[in-house]
Amino acid sequence: MTTLPDTRLSMHTPLAVPVAIAGTGLHLPPAVISNQQLTETLDTSDEWIVEHTGIRERRHLSPELAVSDMAVAAAEDAIAASGVRAVDLDAVLIATYTGDQILPSTALMVADRLGARRALPIDITQAACANGLQAMLLAAHLLQSTARTVLVVAADCASRVTDPADRTTRVFFGDAAVAIVLTRGTEPGTGLLSWDFGAELSDSVQIPAGGSRLPASARTVAEGAHYLHMDGRAVWEMATEQLPRSIENAVRRAGSTVNSVDHFFLHQANLRIVTAAMDRIAVSMDRAPVTVDRLGNTGSAGAFTALHTLMSQGRIHSGDTFVLSAIGAGFQWGTLYMRHP
């Protein structure tokens, strides 16, 4: 039997064209849902939620709005920050597991509203909270060929797919959208330096087939079977094992070490998961900004909310390195290791 060589490391050679983040945008629904509000309908307490999740509040999208509305709002801010024109976008990638509908794609709807008439619209939908990382990796590779400017939007409305009577999911999730404009960079040694992705089949997180994509106003009690189901213990074990491993793999493939990374933008599923992941790689939490406490688990947008926080505050400087790392349903996980130009 012929043994094939392990080519995983050689597959992650630096990209020929640097990739630059030209601008970011964030949209949060105005409705703030506190832990105290949830205790009015769920058998839980503010103390329990904070102790077990670190979450104090989250946002819920108004029933008359959809994920595309959040995506457009975030995209408009990112485009304005980048200085590019929507009409010049070569591709629009929407990372979401709660898109407006099956057809037409959410990306097409967003591109149309932005006026990005010639952009290739692509939905990335099946990796849940890891959708955004897959979209970023695809965008970076599109920029290696004919694309010059790509918009990535990570947006989810988990309030539509969590059972209001189920405390095992309802307390965790919030709604948000983050948009990132990626362009071709000019500085060698910047942009996406390396990456690590993996998957393991599991049914620990799933939304059964059916009307989960419909707006809340269009759903019925009978469709409750289509709510998100999650095995919290399985998620914890997979996240605390695979996130640190994936981060270390990605950084090592770029010839660096985790101690030299300036910022860690991690999956904002649960504060305890973020803390445990940072403990596993022995790096201080002061390098890992946290948004889960005020936003909850925002799905595909999670790690990007932390990225936008520092970008908007001017706290990511030229030459800074950072990782984006998340785990999603499937399970699927991934890490991007980047250097800011």
Side-chain angles (χ1 to χ4, degrees), residues 93-328:
L93 278 63
I94 304 296
T96 182
Y97 67 93
T98 55
D100 292 10
Q101 55 203 23
I102 296 176
L103 293 172
S105 72
T106 304
L108 177 56
M109 299 170 68
V110 171
D112 180 73
R113 288 177 58 182
L114 292 174
R117 297 289 188 270
R118 65 181 186 81
L120 172 67
I122 304 174
D123 280 3
I124 307 295
T125 65
Q126 296 299 307
C129 301
N131 283 330
L133 298 183
Q134 294 186 0
M136 285 281 283
L137 182 63
L138 177 57
H141 281 80
L142 287 173
L143 289 165
Q144 303 305 300
S145 54
T146 59
R148 296 294 186 274
T149 308
V150 178
L151 172 68
V152 173
V153 185
D156 270 312
C157 180
S159 63
R160 302 278 169 85
V161 295
T162 50
D163 185 347
D166 178 17
R167 71 174 184 176
T168 62
T169 57
R170 193 65 171 177
V171 302
F172 282 95
F173 293 92
D175 306 337
V178 178
I180 299 172
V181 174
L182 294 173
T183 61
R184 288 189 167 194
T186 58
E187 297 294 328
T190 63
L192 181 57
L193 305 181
S194 60
W195 59 92
D196 176 82
F197 283 81
E200 179 178 312
L201 185 61
S202 170
D203 61 359
S204 296
V205 181
Q206 60 177 303
I207 302 175
S212 61
R213 290 177 176 270
L214 296 175
S217 58
R219 300 181 63 186
T220 66
V221 174
E223 289 174 327
H226 305 306
Y227 286 130
L228 182 148
H229 298 277
M230 180 176 69
D231 181 339
R233 172 52 57 180
V235 173
W236 165 268
E237 292 176 353
M238 184 63 70
T240 55
E241 175 184 354
Q242 295 299 344
L243 285 182
R245 180 179 300 169
S246 183
I247 291 169
E248 290 174 339
N249 286 343
V251 173
R252 185 181 69 252
R253 287 168 184 161
S256 190
T257 64
V258 291
N259 287 326
S260 67
V261 178
D262 296 298
H263 313 287
F264 293 81
F265 304 117
L266 304 189
H267 180 36
Q268 301 289 311
N270 179 322
L271 181 57
R272 294 171 65 191
I273 287 178
V274 177
T275 301
M278 295 300 288
D279 284 345
R280 292 279 182 94
I281 61 175
V283 176
S284 171
M285 272 292 293
D286 60 12
R287 289 194 240 173
V290 171
T291 61
V292 67
D293 57 338
R294 57 189 176 85
L295 300 181
N297 181 349
T298 54
S300 303
F304 297 104
T305 61
L307 170 66
H308 172 79
T309 297
L310 264 59
M311 289 286 289
S312 62
Q313 296 172 356
R315 293 168 57 190
I316 300 181
H317 308 290
S318 177
D320 279 5
T321 56
F322 58 88
V323 297
L324 289 155
S325 189
I327 186 167

